[in-house]
Amino acid sequence: NIQLLACPCVRNYLPPEILIDSSSFGWTGTVWTASAHIITAVVGSGVLSLAWSVAQLGWVGGAAAIVFFAGVTVVQSSLLAECYVSRGHPERGGLIRNKSYMNAVRFYLGERRQMLSGFFLSISLFGSGVVYTLTTATSMRAIHEANRYGREGQQQGAPFSTATAGGSDVYYMLLFGLAQAVLSQIPDFHNMAWLSVFAAVMSFFYSFVGFGLGAAKVIENGVIKGGIGGIPLASPMQKVWRVAQSLGDIAFAYPYTLVLLEIEDTLRSPPAESITMKAASRASIAITTFFYLGCGCFGYAAFGDGTPGNLLTGFGEPYWLIDLANLCVVLHLLGGYQLYSQPAFALVERRFGAEAWVVEVPLPLLRWRRSVNVFRLCFRTAYVVAVTAVAVWYPYFNQVVGLIGAFTFWPLDIHFPVQMYLAQNKVAPWTTRWLAIQAFSATCLLVAVFASVGSAVGVFGPNRS
């Protein structure tokens, strides 16, 4: 189960697994292990944009938005945790375990809803690839600029900030895309358990560095920058769109819906898995929220109106630590990109029977022949090219993060878990519980629509930046 750390969605496209008796399978997970999985799954590249989000919302709005999405995540995770086990099914009877998100959607809501959820999941996975490309390019340029300044800038005595160093990220995006095109051809990439541990260590390291450097810079400045209303903009409408984009960024950073049932499948019982999972969710979200508030608020307090879109690009010294943190981002996302792309690869290749496209390619110089899957070679390369092209075409890190986070937030993280919970517990319409749950869903829908529209304006609008 270590692969849950960095590859939460791989099993979502597998056929449903139905177990009747859970007493002899030896699950050993506890609140502590589940909390560790959750924190590792949640903390990632999304944390780098939180300082920018707080800067757009201001001190009150930024902190309130982070706490709001934390509360939403606790509620929706509690609802989804109830859907892991179904007892006394009218047709199958016994105890049925839904071991992945897509399997649960199919079990409770049917194949059509599963196809719809698969559509949003595919967008989420593709969008994550775009976000990873943008994030990695920014970090690679930050390393280059920091090294250049270390050689030249110190002699001139000029202040340094990679947030304003200038230059294009296209070269780094293409370089990252080339690396992913090669890595995508590695067979069974998602089965490398060591990669999950490696990715977890990298994400924790650069997150802690961002947290620590933000606090250190506030102390160095001797003043807390920023204001109640956040960064002022030229017009009220621009401010509205920026607020919407920041909400989308926070929505991208929080949910772990797609991995929740797989984590729950590792837990032992008694007590019931759902009870343990709810306790782990509350504990891990509390820890994550404290960490997110620290990164977001310390980053805004350190840079004020000059808060960068990617927190790590705002610091100049110590150069070695900044370079190491950005290198950890690059290494983390090199593997994370592939692990989040594997479900899309598996879905398409199974749909078109990729195994029938294997041919023998002779290599005369090496005097041996190599089996090559032509379909996999072409499709995976085309997929990476498409992701890279979108990133190059729309190189707006915070706006793209906001759009992906907001667009997939309500259907994947709210709507389907809510509908599965209502079906599993047979909640009668218009009862108090039904109305409360529907009000929760409707509120999240309004926030998601607002954030999606604002983020779309930031990506496609005439004043995008």
Side-chain angles (χ1 to χ4, degrees):
N1 293 313
I2 193 67
Q3 289 170 254
L4 295 172
L5 299 178
C7 190
C9 306
V10 169
R11 290 167 51 190
N12 289 339
Y13 285 103
L14 301 179
E17 296 180 47
I18 303 300
L19 302 178
I20 303 302
D21 182 12
S22 64
S23 60
S24 59
F25 287 87
W27 288 284
T28 59
T30 65
V31 171
W32 298 103
T33 60
S35 297
H37 287 319
I38 293 170
I39 293 173
T40 308
V42 172
V43 176
S45 60
V47 72
L48 300 177
S49 67
L50 291 178
W52 182 88
S53 300
V54 174
Q56 310 308 315
L57 295 167
W59 283 117
V60 176
I66 292 176
V67 173
F68 169 79
F69 279 100
V72 168
T73 305
V74 169
V75 173
Q76 64 92 7
S77 62
S78 297
L79 297 178
L80 186 58
E82 293 283 350
C83 301
Y84 171 62
V85 172
S86 177
R87 291 179 170 82
H89 190 272
E91 296 180 1
R92 298 171 181 172
L95 181 146
I96 300 172
R97 294 175 181 268
N98 298 290
K99 304 177 69 175
S100 74
Y101 181 86
M102 293 290 285
N103 292 348
V105 173
R106 179 175 182 175
F107 178 77
Y108 289 110
L109 305 178
E111 291 189 15
R112 288 189 177 182
R113 295 285 191 92
Q114 184 192 35
M115 294 177 61
L116 183 60
S117 66
F119 167 75
F120 284 104
L121 180 58
S122 299
I123 292 178
S124 178
L125 297 174
F126 185 90
S128 295
V130 175
V131 170
Y132 282 10
T133 303
L134 294 173
T135 307
T136 305
T138 303
S139 294
M140 292 171 71
R141 179 162 64 88
I143 295 173
H144 172 76
E145 295 291 347
N147 291 336
R148 180 182 62 82
Y149 179 82
R151 294 190 305 267
E152 305 171 4
Q154 277 185 322
Q155 299 175 358
Q156 303 172 3
F160 170 76
S161 174
T162 56
T164 58
S168 173
D169 291 341
V170 173
Y171 169 78
Y172 302 106
M173 294 182 199
L174 296 177
L175 187 62
F176 182 73
L178 178 62
Q180 294 302 334
V182 174
L183 292 175
S184 67
Q185 300 304 319
I186 297 177
D188 299 323
F189 194 92
H190 61 277
N191 287 329
M192 299 181 183
W194 61 267
L195 188 64
S196 299
V197 179
F198 180 78
V201 173
M202 295 297 102
S203 64
F204 271 109
F205 180 81
Y206 67 70
S207 300
F208 275 112
V209 169
F211 187 109
L213 288 179
K217 191 168 183 62
V218 173
I219 296 173
E220 177 187 349
N221 293 338
V223 62
I224 297 177
K225 298 182 179 181
I228 299 297
I231 298 176
L233 295 176
S235 70
M237 188 54 64
Q238 288 181 342
K239 183 65 176 179
V240 169
W241 297 141
R242 284 290 185 90
V243 168
Q245 293 159 21
S246 64
L247 291 176
D249 280 16
I250 300 174
F252 180 86
Y254 254 116
Y256 55 99
T257 304
L258 301 180
V259 69
L260 186 146
L261 292 177
E262 293 188 341
I263 295 176
E264 192 168 352
D265 187 51
T266 69
L267 302 178
R268 65 188 180 196
S269 62
E273 295 88 349
S274 60
I275 295 176
T276 304
M277 193 65 198
K278 291 177 184 178
S281 296
R282 290 192 295 267
S284 57
I285 292 302
I287 296 172
T288 303
T289 301
F290 172 79
F291 191 72
Y292 279 7
L293 286 171
C295 287
C297 294
F298 276 129
Y300 183 38
F303 297 105
D305 291 351
T307 302
N310 182 329
L311 178 59
L312 287 179
T313 64
F315 302 104
E317 297 181 3
Y319 303 112
W320 67 270
L321 185 59
I322 301 300
D323 283 353
L324 184 57
N326 280 297
L327 179 61
C328 287
V329 174
V330 175
L331 294 176
H332 171 211
L333 299 186
L334 273 172
Y337 180 107
Q338 283 300 315
L339 290 167
Y340 274 92
S341 300
Q342 293 300 317
F345 295 161
L347 176 65
V348 174
E349 290 170 7
R350 186 169 63 246
R351 172 66 178 80
F352 290 95
E355 296 303 323
W357 295 68
V358 178
V359 298
E360 294 288 334
V361 177
L363 299 174
L365 295 179
L366 299 178
R367 297 183 179 180
W368 59 295
R369 302 173 66 86
R370 175 72 175 176
S371 296
V372 176
N373 190 311
V374 177
F375 184 92
R376 184 171 71 180
L377 176 64
C378 295
F379 168 70
R380 295 191 178 191
T381 302
Y383 181 92
V384 173
V385 169
V387 171
T388 306
V390 171
V392 171
W393 201 294
Y394 301 103
Y396 315 109
F397 173 69
N398 298 100
Q399 290 78 8
V400 171
V401 171
L403 181 60
I404 298 301
F407 184 73
T408 60
F409 169 71
W410 185 76
L412 290 179
D413 303 317
I414 305 299
H415 174 70
F416 289 115
V418 162
Q419 295 303 314
M420 287 189 288
Y421 174 83
L422 294 176
Q424 199 260 9
N425 289 274
K426 299 179 176 59
V427 179
W430 306 109
T431 60
T432 302
R433 182 165 55 158
W434 186 89
L435 289 172
I437 294 175
Q438 294 292 2
F440 166 76
S441 178
T443 301
C444 293
L445 174 61
L446 293 176
V447 173
V449 170
F450 173 62
S452 297
V453 172
S455 298
V457 170
V459 174
F460 306 110
N463 297 320
R464 57 196 183 184
S465 61

